[in-house]
Amino acid sequence: VDRVRKCMRGGGALVLVLLAVMEGGVASTALVPFSNANPWSDAFSMTERALVIGGRAVKVRQTWERRSEDDLEPTGMRWTGAAVWDAAIVLSEFLAANKQLIHRKRVLEVGAGLALVSVAAGMFGAESVTATDYSTSVLDLAQNNMEANIPDMAVSGNATAMPLLWGSEEAAQSLGGPFDVVVGSDVIYREDVFKPLIETLDLTTTNDSIVILAHKPRGLSEEKFFFWLRRKFVVLQEHQPTELHKDFVTAGVKVHVLRKKQSFE
C-alpha cells in the first residue's frame, strides 16, 4: 500500500487506497474503496485503528500487541478488551443507520472494551453514554477513546467509563440508571457469565428501555443465552448478517433488539 487518500464529501469520509501491483514485472496501480474489514492489514495488531462509521472517521486505540500470554483478564481470556472486534463495528454501523433508537437517549454499553459502540452512540445522537467493563486498564483506554472521538461529551461528563460487575445489584445501581438503551457487542462468549449478564440487563432497564446486542456465533452455547434471555426479554427485531454491514456478511454477525417482558406476556 503506497498511500491512503481521504476525500471528504458532505461531512462524511470516502477513503481510497492506492495499491502498487506488479504485473509481468511492470508496476501498476489500482484504487480500492476503503473497507472496515481490510483483508490486507492486520487490524488487531494496530496500536490505533482507523474506521469509518456512518460516514464519519473514528480512531480507536488498541492494546493487542502489548498483551502477553500470561496477561489474562478476570474472564480468563486474553484478548476481549484488547482490540476492536467485528461485532462492535457492525453494531456501531447499526446505530448510525438507526439513529432514532438512541436519539436523546441515555445509553449504557456493557462489555465495552475499547468503547467503539459508545463512541458511535455519542456521535449519532445519544444524550449520554456510559461505557462499562471490569478492568481498570480497559476502562482507561475506553475513556481515552471517547475523549478523542466525542470530546464535547467527554468534557461535559456525558461520556464516561465505569466499572461494572455483571450480576451485582450494587454495581448496577452505582451507574445511575436505569437507562433508555443498553447495548453490547460480542458479550456472549462464556456460559458462566450468561445469567449474570442477563441479570445486569434486567437491573439497568425499565419496561420502556430497549436492549441491542450484536454477536458473532462461535458455537459457544449462544442458544442457551437466548433461551434464558427470552424468559425476561422479548425479541422485537432479529437482523441477519445480510441485512447489516456489507463488509462483515461472511463474519456472520447478528443484531437483536429486545425489550423487557410485560407482566401479561
Side-chain angles (χ1 to χ4, degrees):
V1 177
D2 288 339
R3 61 185 177 180
V4 175
R5 178 181 300 163
K6 294 184 179 180
C7 305
M8 304 305 295
R9 294 183 179 176
L14 172 63
V15 184
L16 301 177
V17 181
L18 185 60
L19 297 177
V21 183
M22 295 300 296
E23 297 179 352
V26 179
S28 60
T29 60
L31 284 174
V32 180
F34 175 85
S35 168
N36 283 322
N38 188 344
W40 294 285
S41 69
D42 182 4
F44 280 8
S45 67
M46 296 175 178
T47 56
E48 186 177 80
R49 186 168 179 185
L51 300 163
V52 177
I53 303 296
R56 297 181 63 177
V58 176
K59 289 185 178 180
V60 180
R61 289 179 57 202
Q62 304 186 133
T63 60
W64 184 279
E65 286 298 294
R66 299 208 301 267
R67 296 289 180 93
S68 70
E69 290 293 343
D70 298 325
D71 187 15
L72 297 180
E73 300 163 0
T75 58
M77 303 183 76
R78 176 188 171 200
W79 301 287
T80 55
V84 175
W85 295 80
D86 293 349
I89 299 173
V90 172
L91 181 53
S92 296
E93 284 283 8
F94 180 82
L95 297 181
N98 296 275
K99 301 177 186 67
Q100 74 282 0
L101 297 177
I102 54 173
H103 183 61
R104 296 184 178 177
K105 304 294 187 182
R106 299 180 67 236
V107 178
L108 170 70
E109 182 180 6
V110 294
L114 305 181
L116 173 62
V117 179
S118 291
V119 166
M123 278 186 164
F124 295 103
E127 176 182 304
S128 67
V129 291
T130 303
T132 62
D133 217 294
Y134 48 81
S135 166
T136 302
S137 60
V138 169
L139 288 170
D140 288 345
L141 201 52
Q143 187 66 48
N144 289 341
N145 284 329
M146 289 190 289
E147 291 171 359
N149 290 282
I150 44 175
D152 290 346
M153 293 186 70
V155 169
S156 65
N158 288 319
T160 58
M162 298 182 67
L164 176 61
L165 175 65
W166 292 349
S168 167
E169 183 174 358
E170 180 181 359
Q173 290 177 344
S174 72
L175 300 175
F179 294 84
D180 303 310
V181 182
V182 179
V183 295
S185 62
D186 264 345
V187 291
I188 311 168
Y189 54 86
R190 277 185 51 168
E191 188 173 333
D192 60 337
V193 301
F194 287 175
K195 289 185 177 180
L197 172 56
I198 294 169
E199 183 64 18
T200 291
L201 297 178
D202 188 39
L203 290 167
T204 55
T205 55
T206 68
N207 288 344
D208 295 322
S209 306
I210 62 169
V211 174
I212 311 174
L213 301 177
H215 81 287
K216 178 178 179 177
R218 294 182 174 88
L220 300 176
S221 302
E222 293 96 341
E223 71 282 352
K224 288 186 180 180
F225 173 80
F226 284 103
F227 174 78
W228 289 330
L229 185 65
R230 284 184 173 92
R231 293 179 177 178
K232 292 189 174 183
F233 290 84
V234 175
V235 177
L236 301 176
Q237 302 172 22
E238 181 175 347
H239 297 273
Q240 299 302 316
T242 52
E243 304 171 55
L244 300 166
H245 199 303
K246 61 181 178 58
D247 292 346
F248 295 96
V249 171
T250 57
V253 177
K254 300 179 180 181
V255 171
H256 290 79
V257 181
L258 312 100
R259 65 160 171 77
K260 275 186 175 179
K261 279 189 173 181
Q262 310 299 309
S263 58
F264 56 84
E265 292 180 306

